[in-house]
Amino acid sequence: MLSIADIDLKYVKHYLRIEDEFEDDDQEILMFIQIAIAHLKNVCGLNDIEFDEANTLIPALLILISEMYEYRSAQINSNSKANPIIERYINANRKFL
């Protein structure tokens, strides 16, 4: 079974359909992984151990990383809304609603 600890650079590159040999964006992807993990821990109120056990957050983690990678622009659409799929996974794992 896939665990949240399995979400590393290699896994994310496969998820994003980026060839292993293409390393130009590796540092950026690693940064996105760290930011997405920190964000999910923060909004869910989870410590490191709780986060490591929250495998139901894997889809939200991957979607956040994917969106950061795809939309690498400083410009934010004024009518943008939170992704409802991500919100569903986050709300299921929040300690305090």
Side-chain angles (χ1 to χ4, degrees):
M1 178 176 182
L2 182 67
S3 77
I4 208 154
D6 295 324
I7 309 302
D8 59 6
L9 178 63
K10 183 176 178 71
Y11 189 92
V12 171
K13 285 177 77 169
H14 176 75
Y15 177 80
L16 296 173
R17 303 192 188 291
I18 299 170
E19 296 293 328
D20 287 337
E21 296 78 28
F22 181 75
E23 298 176 345
D24 292 1
D25 293 344
D26 283 5
Q27 291 303 311
E28 194 171 15
I29 295 168
L30 286 168
M31 178 184 64
F32 294 150
I33 293 169
Q34 291 173 347
I35 291 168
I37 288 171
H39 174 70
L40 290 173
K41 284 180 184 178
N42 184 44
V43 297
C44 292
L46 302 176
N47 63 36
D48 290 339
I49 294 169
E50 292 167 330
F51 182 79
D52 290 344
E53 295 172 354
N55 291 337
T56 55
L57 281 174
I58 292 172
L61 178 61
L62 292 171
I63 293 167
L64 281 171
I65 295 165
S66 176
E67 286 183 349
M68 284 188 273
Y69 185 75
E70 186 174 345
Y71 303 108
R72 294 176 276 181
S73 172
Q75 183 178 4
I76 298 173
N77 192 352
S78 63
N79 65 353
S80 64
K81 296 182 181 176
N83 185 321
I85 295 171
I86 294 172
E87 290 300 312
R88 200 170 296 144
Y89 287 110
I90 287 173
N91 288 336
N93 287 279
R94 280 192 180 167
K95 289 173 105 174
F96 309 103
L97 290 176

